[in-house]
Amino acid sequence: MSLSPARREEYEIPLQPLPGLKVERELSLGQRLWQQGWLRKSVILLGLALIWELAARYQGNDLLLPSFLQTARAFIEGVGTGELVEKTAISLSVLIKGYLIGIGMAFLLTTLAVSTQLGRDLLSTLTSMFNPLPAIALLPLSLLWFGLGENSLIFVLVHSVLWALALNTYAGFLGVSETQRMAGRNYGLKGLRFVLFILVPAALPSILAGLKIGWAFAWRTLIAAELVFGASSGKGGLGWYIFQNRNELYTDKVFAGLAAVILIGLLVENLVFATLERVTVKRWGMQR
C-alpha cells in the first residue's frame, strides 16, 4: 500500500514596501579616488620611493646606493642639460625601427603559417631554433655582418621581437573559433583578406600580448646592446649613458639612466598599450 505525500497548503506572504530606502549607495570621496587606477599606481610608486630613500640613508654610502632625492636631482639635471633627452631619443629611434621591422616579419611568418602546411612547418622549425637563443648572443655576429652602428642594433632587436610575437600571434590564430572561420569563408574571404578581416580581430588579445612581450624584450636588449656598442664605438643611447657614468663613478647618474628606462616602460605600458586595449578588445567585450 503506497502512501501519497502530505499536501501542504499554499500561501503567499506579501512583501512590505520599503519607502525611503536608497537603491544606490553613495561612495565617499576617498572611495571614489581609490577606484582610479592611476592613483593606486602612484601610491605604489611613492611607497617604493620612500623605501628607497630610507634604505639609502640607512646604508650611508652614496657611491653604492644614492638616495631617491639624489637620483631625482641627477635626472632633472640630465633633462635640463639635454643630455638625457638626447640619449633617450637615440635609443627610441633605433628601437622603433627594429620593433616595426620585427612586427612586419612576424606578420608575414604567421600569415604564411595559417595559409600553407609548409608555412606552419617553417614557423615551427624557426621558432624552435631561434626563440631560445638570446638576442644579446647575436651581438658578435651582428658586428661582423653589419659593423658598428645602427644596423647591428636593429638586427638584434628584430630577433628579440620576431619570435615572441610570431608565437603569440599564431597561437591566437589557432584559437579562433570555427564559426568565425566559416563566416569569413561564406563572405568569400581568402588568403591575406581572410587573415586581416577575420583572424587578426579575433586573435587581437593574443597579438597584443605578443606586442607587449616583444616590446619588453626589445627594450632590454637595446639597453644591453648599447652598453657593448657604446664601449666599442664611443656613442650610443641610454645604455651608453649608463655605462659612461658608471666608469666615472657617477652613481646617481647611473640610477637616473635606469630611472629613464623604467619611466619609458611605464609610459608605453600605461599610455600606448592600455589605450590600444581600451579602444579595441575591451570595447569589443573580448577582455575584462
Side-chain angles (χ1 to χ4, degrees):
M1 180 177 179
S2 61
L3 298 177
S4 59
R7 299 182 59 184
R8 292 182 298 178
E9 184 179 354
E10 297 182 359
Y11 60 92
E12 180 180 356
I13 300 177
L15 298 178
Q16 298 297 326
L18 300 174
L21 182 64
K22 293 183 179 181
V23 179
E24 297 180 353
R25 181 171 62 92
E26 294 185 0
L27 299 177
S28 64
L29 178 61
Q31 290 174 319
R32 290 199 300 269
L33 289 175
W34 191 248
Q35 289 181 343
Q36 305 296 322
W38 63 269
L39 181 60
R40 296 194 302 270
K41 294 178 181 179
S42 299
V43 171
I44 293 174
L45 292 176
L46 288 175
L48 293 175
L50 179 60
I51 295 172
W52 179 2
E53 182 71 22
L54 294 176
R57 294 192 179 191
Y58 177 78
Q59 199 269 341
N61 190 336
D62 297 342
L63 184 62
L64 295 179
L65 181 63
S67 67
F68 174 78
L69 295 178
Q70 289 174 319
T71 302
R73 190 180 304 112
F75 182 86
I76 294 173
E77 290 177 357
V79 173
T81 59
E83 182 182 11
L84 195 55
V85 176
E86 179 186 0
K87 299 299 184 183
T88 302
I90 293 173
S91 294
L92 289 179
S93 173
V94 177
L95 178 67
I96 291 173
K97 293 177 184 178
Y99 190 63
L100 292 179
I101 294 174
I103 291 175
M105 293 181 65
F107 182 75
L108 290 176
L109 271 178
T110 50
T111 301
L112 186 62
V114 297
S115 303
T116 63
Q117 181 63 50
L118 178 61
R120 287 189 286 274
D121 294 338
L122 178 65
L123 178 62
S124 176
T125 303
L126 291 179
T127 51
S128 299
M129 292 171 56
F130 296 115
N131 191 43
L133 183 65
I136 203 70
L138 295 177
L139 277 175
L141 284 179
S142 63
L143 282 170
L144 289 174
W145 292 346
F146 303 103
L148 296 174
E150 187 176 283
N151 292 334
S152 297
L153 293 173
I154 291 176
F155 175 76
V156 295
L157 289 178
V158 170
H159 174 81
S160 63
V161 174
L162 174 58
W163 311 115
L165 179 56
L167 282 174
N168 277 270
T169 303
Y170 185 60
F173 287 170
L174 293 180
V176 177
S177 67
E178 192 61 30
T179 303
Q180 292 173 301
R181 295 174 183 271
M182 292 175 63
R185 297 190 190 100
N186 289 338
Y187 279 104
L189 299 178
K190 296 181 180 179
L192 184 60
R193 297 180 69 241
F194 180 78
V195 173
L196 290 175
F197 293 108
I198 299 297
L199 296 184
V200 170
L204 198 54
S206 295
I207 296 174
L208 288 176
L211 288 172
K212 288 183 180 181
I213 296 172
W215 159 263
F217 284 176
W219 189 219
R220 56 185 167 185
T221 298
L222 176 63
I223 299 303
E226 282 180 341
L227 290 172
V228 178
F229 282 99
S232 302
S233 59
K235 58 183 178 180
L238 276 174
W240 169 238
Y241 178 86
I242 295 170
F243 181 85
Q244 187 180 34
N245 286 289
R246 194 271 297 178
N247 286 340
E248 298 176 1
L249 298 180
Y250 293 138
T251 314
D252 54 345
K253 292 185 178 181
V254 172
F255 274 82
L258 295 174
V261 174
I262 294 172
L263 287 175
I264 291 172
L266 289 173
L267 289 175
V268 171
E269 176 68 27
N270 292 282
L271 291 181
V272 178
F273 288 119
T275 302
L276 190 58
E277 288 179 347
R278 186 173 62 252
V279 300
T280 54
V281 293
K282 289 184 178 179
R283 183 178 181 182
W284 300 340
M286 302 171 66
Q287 191 179 77
R288 294 183 63 183

